[in-house]
Amino acid sequence: MKKFFITFFIIISCVGYLNAQNDITISREFKLFTNRNAQGYTKPLFTTLGQSFNTSLMNTSYVVNDWSFGLDISAMGMFIPDNQLTFDAQLPDMFGNQSITDIAYFKDGVLIRNKNVGQTIQQPTIYGGIATPIFAAPQNTSYPDSMYKTLTYMEGNNVSFMSGLPVLQFVVGMPTRTQVRLRFITLPIDNSSLYYFNFGINQNIDKMLNLFDKKSPQSLSLTAAYALINRNSGVNINSLGLGLNYSYKTDLGITFYAGAMYENLSGNLKAVRDTVGSTGKIVDSPYNEIRQGNDLTFDISSFTNYRITCGFSFEVGPIEFHFDAAYASQPQINFGGTIWFFKPEEFEFELPPINPPEMKANKLLLARSPFNPEIPIQTAQLAMQQERVFNINAKVNAFGKVNEIEYNLEKIKIEEFASRQMRPIMPYIFFDDNSAEIPQRYKVYNNPSEVANYKFSS
C-alpha cells in the first residue's frame, strides 16, 4: 500500500512543485521525458490505479430488500507481468541519421551501432529495471551540441507485485434491492486540492425478473461504477466500469461469487516544463519539444479493459469478510471486510393456496337465517359455523434456514424419549388416527344454554 502511494505521487507531486498559478511544474530531472515517453513509462502505474477503482464493488449479488448501512475496508495487490516492465521509448529525430550523429548502446552484452537502431528503443517502465543509455558522437558540427548528448532514461523500480489503492467506502442498501458504494477523499496541495471520488452501484436483478425460485440460493446482479481523480489544473482521470455478477450461497453460510466486467480508464496529465535551470541556460536535449520548452501533456490509458473475478464471502457476527482474485492485464488479489452497522434479515415465504370455504346448504341452515327475527342472531351464526365445511388443499414442505435464505430439507429426524414431566390434558382434544371427528368419549355441548349452565363439577 505504501509503495503504491510513493510511486503514484512521484508522478503528480513529488517530482515537481506547484507555483503560484497552481500549475504542476516538472523539475529539471524530468527533462528526459517527452510526452510519448512519459505515457509509456507511467502506463502500468495507471493500470494499477484503474483496477483499484473497480475492485470491491460487490461481495454478493443478493441484496436485502430493505435499508442497510456498513463500512467496507479492503486491500489489494497486483502481479506485474513481464510485458509491462518495458515500453518502446521514442528516440530523438536526429539519432536515426548517421550523417549527423553516430550512436551505440549495449544490450544484453551486445554492442548495437547506429545502422541497427530504429526510431524506438526498449526502456523500463516505472515498474521495470535498469535503463539503457545511448551514447552519441557528433558527425556534423553544423548542428547544436545538444544533438550529440548521450541520452539516458528514467530507471524503473524493480516491482513485480504492486499494492493497489486501498479501499475505504460506505455501503448503503436500499429497499429497491440496490446497493451503493461510495469512496471520497481530498488532499490539499498548496493552493489547490486533489479530489478522489468513486461511486459504485450493485443492482440485484434476479428477484426483479423472477429468474430463480424465491428460495433459490442463486443471485444475479448488474454493477456499474464511476471514478474521478481531479485537480483544478494538471490532473484529470476518469474511470468507468460495467459488469454482470453471479453468486451462490451454500448451506454453510459461505457465498461464492463470480463476475465479468468491462472497464475503461481515460484522462490526461499536464505540467509546465521547467526549461531554465540554475545557470539560467536553456536545457540541452536532443528532443525538440524539450528544447522548445513545450508543456508535458499526455493522455492516460490502461492495459486493462476486461476482468474476470472469482471469490467468496462469509459473515462472522456483524462483519462480512471477503476474498477474491481477478484475471486482468495485472492479475490481482483482494481481501477485506464489511462492518454492518445495520442490516436487517429478510424473510420470504409463500403460503399454499387455500380454496374458499363452502357452505353446506340444507333446509335447517336456510330456516335458521340471521334475517329470521324469531331466532337470536348468535344462535343462527353458531348454527352456520357448525354447518360450515372447509375444503383445503395444501402441500407440506420442510425447510431449513441459514441467515435470510431457506433451503429444502430432504429428511426430518423424529425422536422418541421418555419424560417425567406432568402436563394438564384438559385444554387438549385427542383425535383418533386419521380422523377429524370428535370421539364419542368426549361430551359435546351443542346448545348454547347448556354451555351457559355448565359447571366444572358436572
Side-chain angles (χ1 to χ4, degrees):
M1 234 178 277
K2 182 179 179 182
K3 187 187 295 183
F4 179 88
F5 281 116
I6 292 176
T7 311
F8 178 64
F9 286 105
I10 250 184
I11 299 300
I12 64 173
S13 61
C14 294
V15 298
Y17 62 90
L18 303 174
N19 60 22
Q21 287 74 36
N22 294 326
D23 291 327
I24 297 179
T25 303
I26 299 300
S27 60
R28 289 184 58 81
E29 66 186 75
F30 264 60
K31 66 183 181 181
L32 304 176
F33 271 130
T34 63
N35 294 335
R36 176 177 169 180
N37 289 344
Q39 182 183 41
Y41 181 77
T42 60
K43 188 173 181 179
L45 172 67
F46 289 111
T47 300
T48 302
L49 186 68
Q51 290 189 195
S52 300
F53 290 156
N54 297 303
T55 301
S56 285
L57 293 178
M58 81 106 191
N59 302 332
T60 175
S61 295
Y62 187 88
V63 181
V64 177
N65 191 25
D66 204 340
W67 291 101
S68 58
F69 178 73
L71 179 65
D72 180 66
I73 304 173
S74 302
M76 70 195 76
M78 288 73 172
F79 297 91
I80 310 302
D82 291 341
N83 63 355
Q84 294 187 24
L85 298 179
T86 59
F87 75 103
D88 292 330
Q90 180 186 23
L91 288 172
D93 295 337
M94 297 302 179
F95 271 38
N97 191 336
Q98 192 172 3
S99 63
I100 298 175
T101 180
D102 189 15
I103 60 175
Y105 65 91
F106 281 97
K107 186 72 173 179
D108 299 327
V110 178
L111 178 65
I112 301 177
R113 295 297 300 272
N114 186 88
K115 62 180 181 179
N116 295 322
V117 176
Q119 293 300 312
T120 62
I121 181 174
Q122 195 174 74
Q123 294 290 349
T125 65
I126 194 170
Y127 292 156
I130 300 175
T132 302
I134 300 178
F135 304 97
Q139 304 296 311
N140 191 326
T141 57
S142 60
Y143 287 90
D145 289 344
S146 60
M147 293 293 189
Y148 314 129
K149 296 293 183 181
T150 295
L151 185 62
T152 58
Y153 291 87
M154 285 289 293
E155 302 285 350
N157 293 282
N158 290 308
V159 175
S160 59
F161 181 82
M162 186 65 183
S163 300
L165 195 66
V167 174
L168 178 65
Q169 62 185 349
F170 294 104
V171 184
V172 180
M174 302 180 182
T176 54
R177 295 191 182 277
T178 305
Q179 190 179 84
V180 175
R181 297 182 173 232
L182 179 64
R183 315 173 198 174
F184 179 79
I185 189 173
T186 177
L187 299 174
I189 303 178
D190 198 15
N191 296 323
S192 187
S193 296
L194 184 74
Y195 296 95
Y196 168 46
F197 172 79
N198 193 318
F199 177 84
I201 183 170
N202 188 30
Q203 177 63 57
N204 178 274
I205 60 174
D206 64 282
K207 300 295 183 182
M208 298 171 56
L209 304 178
N210 295 322
L211 299 179
F212 306 123
D213 185 79
K214 289 186 176 181
K215 297 181 178 63
S216 173
Q218 304 178 81
S219 291
L220 198 66
S221 68
L222 292 173
T223 298
Y226 175 77
L228 170 69
I229 290 183
N230 181 264
R231 186 179 176 275
N232 293 336
S233 175
V235 180
N236 182 29
I237 305 174
N238 299 274
S239 173
L240 177 66
L242 298 172
L244 179 66
N245 304 294
Y246 169 84
S247 66
Y248 185 94
K249 192 163 189 176
T250 66
D251 295 344
L252 300 176
I254 301 176
T255 298
F256 294 94
Y257 56 88
M261 172 170 281
Y262 164 80
E263 54 188 78
N264 180 53
L265 184 73
S266 61
N268 58 78
L269 192 148
K270 180 180 179 180
V272 176
R273 194 183 298 277
D274 180 18
T275 57
V276 180
S278 58
T279 61
K281 296 181 180 180
I282 300 298
V283 173
D284 288 338
S285 174
Y287 291 106
N288 185 54
E289 65 180 88
I290 297 179
R291 290 197 310 273
Q292 293 181 0
N294 296 338
D295 292 341
L296 179 65
T297 303
F298 62 92
D299 293 332
I300 291 172
S301 59
S302 169
F303 288 105
T304 300
N305 290 118
Y306 301 94
R307 77 164 72 191
I308 298 176
T309 304
C310 298
F312 64 91
S313 64
F314 59 93
E315 295 184 10
V316 178
I319 303 178
E320 182 181 11
F321 295 96
H322 59 83
F323 176 88
D324 55 64
Y327 176 78
S329 69
Q330 293 180 4
Q332 73 175 62
I333 56 175
N334 172 59
F335 63 93
T338 302
I339 304 173
W340 290 105
F341 301 102
F342 177 71
K343 185 182 180 183
E345 293 187 358
E346 182 176 25
F347 299 92
E348 292 190 358
F349 57 90
E350 183 178 2
L351 293 175
I354 300 177
N355 295 333
E358 296 181 0
M359 300 297 297
K360 182 186 291 185
N362 53 43
K363 293 182 180 180
L364 177 62
L365 182 59
L366 294 176
R368 293 185 176 182
S369 169
F371 301 100
N372 191 335
E374 297 180 359
I375 303 176
I377 187 170
Q378 293 85 355
T379 306
Q381 288 177 342
L382 179 61
M384 292 176 66
Q385 292 174 4
Q386 291 176 350
E387 296 294 337
R388 186 174 298 172
V389 178
F390 292 90
N391 293 330
I392 300 177
N393 295 324
K395 182 181 179 181
V396 179
N397 291 324
F399 296 93
K401 184 172 182 299
V402 178
N403 293 330
E404 67 274 11
I405 300 179
E406 294 182 349
Y407 302 89
N408 290 325
L409 294 178
E410 298 180 355
K411 297 179 180 180
I412 298 178
K413 186 176 181 180
I414 300 177
E415 297 180 336
E416 294 184 2
F417 59 92
S419 174
R420 294 184 179 181
Q421 297 180 4
M422 300 180 64
R423 299 181 178 88
I425 63 174
M426 286 188 62
Y428 300 93
I429 296 177
F430 297 89
F431 292 87
D432 294 333
D433 291 343
N434 300 322
S435 174
E437 299 292 335
I438 297 178
Q440 295 294 327
R441 60 180 176 272
Y442 292 97
K443 185 176 181 180
V444 180
Y445 295 91
N446 295 318
N447 193 319
S449 61
E450 293 179 341
V451 176
N453 297 327
Y454 171 77
K455 296 181 179 179
F456 182 78
S457 59
S458 62

